[in-house]
């Protein structure tokens, strides 16, 4: 399974159950996937993990795998939070 397929499946399950879905990648990256709003919580238990470009790149890769073009990256302690931003609807003229 690809990263995109797995994350989409976890996001769907989170929306259906209303519960956060955990997932651990082979190289130690861990995620919790939640819906309403669609968001990812990303962290590492081992290895280098600190706020900055390298960690945020991993969040951007996950957002891209989900097809999110608009998202916010924020830090809550050691956790990187990636939140999908719904595009604003243009006002009808």
């Amino acid at each position: 399974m690809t990263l995109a397929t797995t994350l989409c499946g976890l996001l769907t399950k989170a929306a259906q159950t209303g519960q956060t879905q955990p997932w651990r990648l082979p190289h130690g990256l861990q995620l919790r996937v939640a819906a309403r709003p669609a968001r990812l919580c990303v962290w590492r238990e081992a290895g280098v993990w600190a706020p900055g470009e390298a960690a945020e790149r991993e969040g951007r890769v996950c957002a891209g795998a989900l097809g999110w073009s608009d998202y916010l990256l924020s830090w809550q302690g050691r956790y990187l939070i990636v939140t999908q931003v719904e595009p604003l609807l243009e006002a009808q003229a």
Side-chain angles (χ1 to χ4, degrees):
M1 286 174 51
T2 66
L3 177 64
T5 303
T6 301
L7 289 176
C8 286
L10 291 169
L11 189 58
T12 299
K13 188 171 182 182
Q16 291 170 343
T17 64
Q19 297 181 340
T20 302
Q21 301 299 310
W23 187 47
R24 182 173 186 200
L25 282 79
H27 298 286
L29 189 69
Q30 299 193 43
L31 295 111
R32 284 186 296 224
V33 181
R36 299 185 194 107
R39 67 185 178 280
L40 307 172
C41 177
V42 184
W43 77 99
R44 283 190 181 279
E45 288 293 331
V48 177
W49 184 256
E53 179 62 30
E56 291 175 4
R57 186 178 317 115
E58 299 207 57
R60 286 192 295 274
V61 167
C62 291
L66 284 165
W68 296 355
S69 58
D70 295 320
Y71 54 89
L72 296 174
L73 299 176
S74 61
W75 287 90
Q76 293 181 1
R78 67 185 189 117
Y79 301 104
L80 174 63
I81 309 300
V82 185
T83 306
Q84 182 183 30
V85 177
E86 295 292 329
L88 296 174
L89 296 175
E90 292 185 29
Q92 296 290 328

